[in-house]
């Protein structure tokens, strides 16, 4: 039986000055790198495949398979890009990880770059987290000075340069192809796929884009092996995961637990609902993952469990809301966010989010009518699956799930205006 | 229309304004000194392809001027061999590039759903009211005081700042002030206006918006002590602490985990 909490990525967070190379090296830091450099790159890719590690940025794509897509012997430069543009509402795991233990990410970067044969890696971190950027820069500098980065790393003949790249405030850059455009010095707008980054990514060369938590897991897999990694979590979603619990709970915070942990278990660890006010709704993995309710307390929070219950695991950003919060209001606020962050490239998302906000604001002001609910769902239907990237899909999640579980609340806002819809306008049939 | 006289005659604007619009006047980039240019070249050298330097260079520009001006756009365009239009297109896409001069401090209040529900909207309303004038609350990205002057503050509402376990949060020059209330935030802003620099909950001691932008461009010289600014709030390490107290750990790793054999080439 595995313990309820399994600190792996978070195990150094309590150590004094955990962000320094000295502390990291005292706590097994860079031992996985030495081991990896002695192996064949393809063995590392195979081990990652065997471990079942899946992307921690939301989509859950098998990491080893992604690495395996990089064509080898193609004569082109290869790149590793770390998606540290953490901005999905509710998500707050990568920033504390990079502040507390930046070397674990850097060690993961070196091992991954060696595996995919990349000699340049970039950490694309959102600009608003200066302290995190500061710690990353210092850690990269320390790693260079210690010979973990640069030319002929630890005498292996392998070269790697790492740059810390600060973004400038655009949620869309968390989308991997928008991130690549942004890293190339352009507006952060998603690219048409295919080609996928594995064949034409950064500077049109083969590129792996992985989330921070994913790559920070790599050194532990190298040291512990694929079977060890699989002792935590479930068959198709193995490993530990940082669950970020926020909102109306007594003890919000970061809880690293095996994949498949339920909200009921997490709430117990987080001291229960704040002031005992009952749970109303929650997101399993950020605002782009359809809402859950108190019915879903026992859903195993892993990729399969969340999907089978009608949502998605996302980034395990568990935002908890109690009975005092209005669902249409919350949905309106999230929709305002998506409207602001829509990059404007495709019409369904650009126009759709604009009109969704207008309708929701009207409803929340008490000026909506019951038919507005149908209009909302109709607009959502024109965005979902029809927009250029997943931002549009994410934008409709709170609305459709909010209406699915709390339609009465939307209707209640519109009740007073229902009579206007029922009456024909004077002279309309003349 | 071939001559400028004809253009001026046809223009509904006054001649001076028309002349300004039709003549291509090179922007005066003299505000960017040699050191700034040298820093820009250092940024360019970090990347395999020069254009990748554009985002950090725009941060650098803001460290000099407190916003991205036409001169800042020309400065980047010249060094990267881009057109001003190409640089403008990028500068106007991103929220952190400000098009009007910012105050000494930039105060960003998260008003995304979770923070808003916990009090973020009330904090933002309180600060708008306090920083406004003539009974009019200060608007988004507006500045109270003469931009750049001591105690001047630019206020904005921000989207999710990735500190949800610590909500409601706000930032001053991108350093975190966690678990805020309208009262605490008001006290903080009053202190900033009075020239004080209260320490953030997580992050380095405050400087000002321009210095923060210099760091975002990747220049930290002489600021090594900043690294020790706190980063872990009690919330951050809650899970780790509970595990330590209860003796919970991940399953032990084997002594020697072997790599799988080299896969056969297909």
């Amino acid at each position: 039986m595995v313990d309820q909490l399994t600190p792996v990525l978070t195990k150094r967070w309590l150590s004094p000055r955990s962000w320094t190379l000295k502390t990291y090296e005292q706590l097994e830091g860079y031992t996985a790198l030495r081991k990896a450099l002695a192996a064949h790159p393809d063995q590392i890719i195979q081990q990652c495949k065997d471990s079942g590690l899946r992307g921690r940025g939301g989509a859950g794509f098998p990491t080893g398979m992604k690495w395996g897509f990089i064509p080898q012997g193609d004569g082109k430069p290869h790149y590793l890009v770390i998606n540290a543009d953490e901005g999905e509402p509710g998500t707050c795991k990568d920033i504390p990880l990079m502040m507390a233990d930046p070397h674990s990410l850097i060690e993961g970067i070196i091992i991954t770059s060696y595996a995919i044969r990349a000699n340049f890696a970039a950490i694309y971190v959102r600009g608003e987290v200066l302290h995190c950027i500061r710690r990353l820069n210092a850690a990269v500098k320390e790693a260079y000075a210690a010979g973990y980065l640069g030319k002929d790393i630890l005498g292996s003949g392998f070269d790697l340069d790492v740059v810390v790249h600060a973004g400038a405030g655009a949620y869309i850059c968390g989308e991997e192809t928008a991130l690549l455009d942004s890293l190339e010095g352009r507006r952060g707008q998603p690219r048409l796929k295919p080609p996928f980054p594995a064949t034409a990514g950064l500077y049109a060369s083969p590129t792996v884009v992985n989330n921070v938590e994913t790559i920070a897991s790599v050194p532990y897999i190298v040291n512990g092996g694929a079977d060890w990694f699989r002792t935590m979590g479930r068959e198709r979603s193995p490993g530990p995961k940082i669950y970020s619990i926020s909102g109306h709970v007594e003890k919000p915070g970061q809880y690293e637990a095996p994949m498949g942990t339920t909200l009921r278990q997490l709430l117990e660890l987080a001291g229960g609902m704040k002031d005992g006010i009952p749970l109303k709704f929650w997101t399993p993995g950020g605002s782009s993952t359809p809402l859950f309710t108190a019915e879903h307390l026992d859903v195993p929070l892993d990729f399969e469990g969340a999907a089978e219950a009608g949502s998605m695991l996302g980034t395990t950003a568990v935002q908890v809301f109690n009975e005092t919060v209005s669902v249409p209001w919350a949905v309106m606020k999230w929709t305002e966010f998506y409207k602001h962050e829509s990059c404007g490239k495709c019409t369904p998302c650009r126009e759709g989010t604009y009109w969704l906000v207008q309708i929701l604001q009207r409803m929340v002001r008490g000026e909506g009518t019951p038919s507005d609910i149908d209009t909302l769902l109709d607009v959502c239907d024109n965005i979902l699956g029809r927009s250029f990237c997943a931002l549009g899909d994410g934008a409709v999640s709170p609305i459709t799930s909010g209406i699915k579980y709390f339609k009465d609340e939307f209707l209640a806002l519109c009740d007073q205006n229902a009579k206007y819809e029922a009456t024909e306008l004077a002279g309309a049939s003349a | 229309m071939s001559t400028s006289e004809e253009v001026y005659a046809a223009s509904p604007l006054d001649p001076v304004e028309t002349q300004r619009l039709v003549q291509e006047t090179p922007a005066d980039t003299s505000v960017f000194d040699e050191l700034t240019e040298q820093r820009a070249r250092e940024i360019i050298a970090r990347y395999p392809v020069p254009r990748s330097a554009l985002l950090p260079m725009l941060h650098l520009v803001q460290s000099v001027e407190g916003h991205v001006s036409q001169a800042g756009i020309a400065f980047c365009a010249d060094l990267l061999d881009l057109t001003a239009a190409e640089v403008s297109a990028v500068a106007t896409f991103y929220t952190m590039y400000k098009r009007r001069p910012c105050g000494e401090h930039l105060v960003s209040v998260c008003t995304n759903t979770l923070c808003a529900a916990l009090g973020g909207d009330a904090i933002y309303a309180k600060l708008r009211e306090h920083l406004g004038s003539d009974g009019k609350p200060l608007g988004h990205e507006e500045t109270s005081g003469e931009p750049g002057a001591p105690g001047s503050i630019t206020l904005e509402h921000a989207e999710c700042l990735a500190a949800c376990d610590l909500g409601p949060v706000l930032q001053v020059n991108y350093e975190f002030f966690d678990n805020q209330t309208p009262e605490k935030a008001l006290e903080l802003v009053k202190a900033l206006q009075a020239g004080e620099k209260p320490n953030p909950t997580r992050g380095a001691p405050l400087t000002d918006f321009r210095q923060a932008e210099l760091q975002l461009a990747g220049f930290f010289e002489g600021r090594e002590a900043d690294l020790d600014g706190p980063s872990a709030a009690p919330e951050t390490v809650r899970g780790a602490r509970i595990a330590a107290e209860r003796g919970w750990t991940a399953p032990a790793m084997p002594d020697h985990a072997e790599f799988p054999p080299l896969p056969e080439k297909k």
Side-chain angles (χ1 to χ4, degrees):
Chain A
M1 185 66 194
V2 173
D3 290 336
Q4 282 189 51
L5 289 172
T6 49
V8 174
L9 299 159
T10 58
K11 74 174 179 185
R12 290 188 197 87
W13 290 15
L14 291 170
S15 303
R17 305 190 83 230
S18 60
W19 55 90
T20 59
L21 178 64
K22 198 176 152 203
T23 305
Y24 189 66
E25 283 181 327
Q26 280 167 356
L27 300 169
E28 297 100 45
Y30 291 109
T31 54
L33 175 63
R34 288 171 202 278
K35 206 174 151 185
L37 289 175
H40 190 282
D42 289 344
Q43 287 180 291
I44 298 168
I45 296 177
Q46 187 59 44
Q47 184 187 45
C48 187
K49 286 181 182 168
D50 295 346
S51 76
L53 174 66
R54 294 172 65 175
R56 274 25 177 167
F61 193 83
T63 306
M65 196 188 287
K66 198 183 237 187
W67 297 356
F69 288 154
I70 297 294
Q72 296 302 340
D74 55 347
K76 286 187 185 171
H78 299 169
Y79 298 109
L80 173 65
V81 176
I82 303 303
N83 186 344
D85 193 43
E86 183 164 64
E88 169 72 18
T91 310
C92 48
K93 60 185 179 71
D94 296 335
I95 304 296
L97 190 155
M98 291 185 287
M99 284 204 273
D101 197 6
H103 283 286
S104 66
L105 174 63
I106 294 170
E107 187 174 6
I109 289 171
I110 308 167
I111 297 170
T112 306
S113 299
Y114 173 72
I116 65 166
R117 287 84 152 175
N119 302 111
F120 178 82
I123 306 171
Y124 186 106
V125 54
R126 65 179 297 183
E128 296 93 333
V129 289
L130 181 51
H131 203 43
C132 180
I133 292 167
R134 190 178 278 140
R135 291 262 175 94
L136 281 171
N137 267 287
V140 166
K141 214 170 141 187
E142 279 186 309
Y144 268 105
Y148 296 125
L149 289 174
K151 298 273 176 226
D152 190 21
I153 294 167
L154 302 176
S156 63
F158 174 64
D159 305 336
L160 179 67
D161 284 309
V162 171
V163 68
V164 178
H165 183 92
Y171 167 72
I172 185 62
C173 293
E175 197 281 337
E176 64 177 4
T177 60
L179 186 152
L180 292 173
D181 260 35
S182 180
L183 183 55
E184 290 181 3
R186 299 168 195 279
R187 296 163 77 92
Q189 294 188 315
R191 298 175 179 173
L192 194 64
K193 293 191 270 194
F196 290 93
T199 48
L202 187 64
Y203 314 130
S205 283
T207 302
V208 165
V209 184
N210 273 148
N211 170 262
V212 172
E213 196 184 351
T214 313
I215 292 301
S217 303
V218 169
Y220 304 100
I221 294 172
V222 167
N223 269 339
D227 292 338
W228 166 80
F229 192 71
R230 285 182 169 281
T231 57
M232 290 165 279
R234 300 206 303 170
E235 174 62 26
R236 291 171 64 194
S237 298
K241 182 79 192 69
I242 303 174
Y243 292 88
S244 309
I245 306 171
S246 60
H248 293 126
V249 299
E250 285 291 346
K251 292 174 179 169
Q254 310 297 327
Y255 296 84
E256 190 178 6
M259 278 275 201
T261 300
T262 65
L263 181 64
R264 191 184 298 281
Q265 292 167 318
L266 292 170
L267 272 181
E268 208 178 281
L269 293 165
M273 292 299 293
K274 190 168 171 54
D275 303 325
I277 303 172
L279 169 70
K280 185 173 179 182
F281 63 100
W282 55 290
T283 68
S287 60
S288 302
T289 61
L291 299 177
F292 275 156
T293 68
E295 284 170 39
H296 302 96
L297 275 168
D298 296 309
V299 169
L301 295 176
D302 64 2
F303 293 107
E304 287 68 38
E308 279 159 20
S311 187
M312 291 179 290
L313 185 67
T315 54
T316 56
V318 180
Q319 305 175 89
V320 178
F321 296 88
N322 68 22
E323 280 184 347
T324 66
V325 181
S326 150
V327 173
W329 172 84
V331 168
M332 175 195 78
K333 293 287 283 186
W334 276 318
T335 309
E336 287 172 350
F337 161 76
Y338 289 107
K339 180 218 155 205
H340 181 254
E341 299 299 336
S342 173
C343 78
K345 181 162 180 164
C346 75
T347 311
C349 176
R350 181 186 65 241
E351 301 298 317
T353 54
Y354 174 85
W355 287 107
L356 290 170
V357 166
Q358 304 295 314
I359 298 167
L360 283 161
Q361 287 178 339
R362 182 168 73 197
M363 288 174 103
V364 170
R365 280 199 308 268
E367 294 163 11
T369 62
S371 72
D372 279 344
I373 296 175
D374 299 325
T375 311
L376 280 176
L377 293 173
D378 188 42
V379 176
C380 287
D381 190 45
N382 278 303
I383 297 175
L384 183 68
R386 291 177 165 85
S387 52
F388 212 85
C389 76
L391 189 147
D393 298 343
V396 310
S397 285
I399 301 174
T400 50
S401 60
I403 293 173
K404 178 176 165 192
Y405 296 117
F406 299 96
K407 191 169 183 181
D408 287 351
E409 221 175 301
F410 286 84
L411 279 171
L413 279 177
C414 305
D415 261 359
Q416 50 190 339
N417 300 317
K419 59 180 183 293
Y420 297 120
E421 279 194 331
T423 15
E424 252 179 48
L425 290 173
S429 53
Chain B
M1 279 186 203
S2 49
T3 68
S4 48
E5 285 73 22
E6 282 169 329
V7 172
Y8 298 149
S11 170
L13 301 171
D14 71 68
V16 177
E17 182 63 6
T18 307
Q19 188 176 13
R20 195 184 68 77
L21 289 172
V22 298
Q23 281 194 342
E24 209 176 309
T25 40
D28 176 11
T29 57
S30 59
V31 62
F32 302 105
D33 60 10
E34 232 171 86
L35 176 63
T36 307
E37 192 174 322
Q38 184 196 321
R39 282 174 166 157
R41 294 194 190 283
E42 276 178 45
I43 297 173
I44 295 168
R46 291 177 200 156
Y47 299 94
V49 173
R51 185 167 174 162
S52 282
L54 182 53
L55 265 66
M57 280 172 69
L58 287 164
H59 284 304
L60 180 69
V61 158
Q62 294 206 119
S63 78
V64 176
E65 288 203 290
H67 74 302
V68 178
S69 66
Q70 287 305 310
I73 286 168
F75 173 76
C76 295
D78 286 351
L79 284 172
L80 292 173
D81 201 17
L82 298 170
T83 66
E86 285 170 317
V87 176
S88 287
V90 173
T92 54
F93 184 82
Y94 296 93
T95 307
M96 289 173 74
Y97 300 133
K98 304 303 183 191
R99 295 157 82 176
R100 283 177 297 175
C102 275
E104 180 188 16
H105 301 293
L106 172 68
V107 174
S108 318
V109 182
C110 177
T111 57
N112 202 293
T113 312
L114 189 111
C115 272
L118 298 176
D121 275 356
I123 291 168
Y124 184 59
K126 187 75 159 182
L127 297 185
R128 287 188 68 190
E129 185 197 311
H130 171 70
L131 293 170
S133 54
D134 306 326
K136 196 172 155 264
L138 195 70
H140 174 64
E141 286 191 349
E142 286 180 1
T143 300
S144 160
E146 185 59 35
S152 58
I153 290 177
T154 301
L155 181 68
E156 65 176 1
H157 59 78
E159 295 302 352
C160 187
L161 293 169
C164 313
D165 49 338
L166 301 153
V169 295
L170 65 79
Q171 291 182 324
V172 179
N173 311 331
Y174 307 117
E175 309 284 2
F176 281 105
F177 290 79
D178 302 328
N179 292 315
Q180 291 293 294
T181 61
E183 295 71 33
K184 279 201 241 179
L186 182 60
E187 202 181 313
L188 168 65
V189 163
K190 282 181 176 169
L192 294 171
Q193 286 180 301
E196 293 163 35
K197 291 182 175 170
N199 279 334
T201 325
R202 290 174 302 137
L206 291 184
T207 51
D208 60 19
F209 174 69
R210 294 183 190 197
Q211 173 55 235
E213 284 292 323
L214 183 64
Q215 296 179 45
L216 289 174
F219 298 94
F220 300 90
E221 287 77 8
R223 309 210 64 86
E224 286 70 23
D226 284 357
L227 287 168
D228 288 331
S231 57
E235 289 84 346
T236 316
V237 292
R238 238 168 207 157
R241 208 171 284 286
I242 292 177
E245 284 164 9
R246 301 191 189 175
W248 288 345
T249 59
M253 286 183 182
D255 288 338
H256 298 287
E258 300 293 329
F259 282 105
L262 194 59
E264 279 175 41
K265 287 261 179 286
K266 277 171 217 149

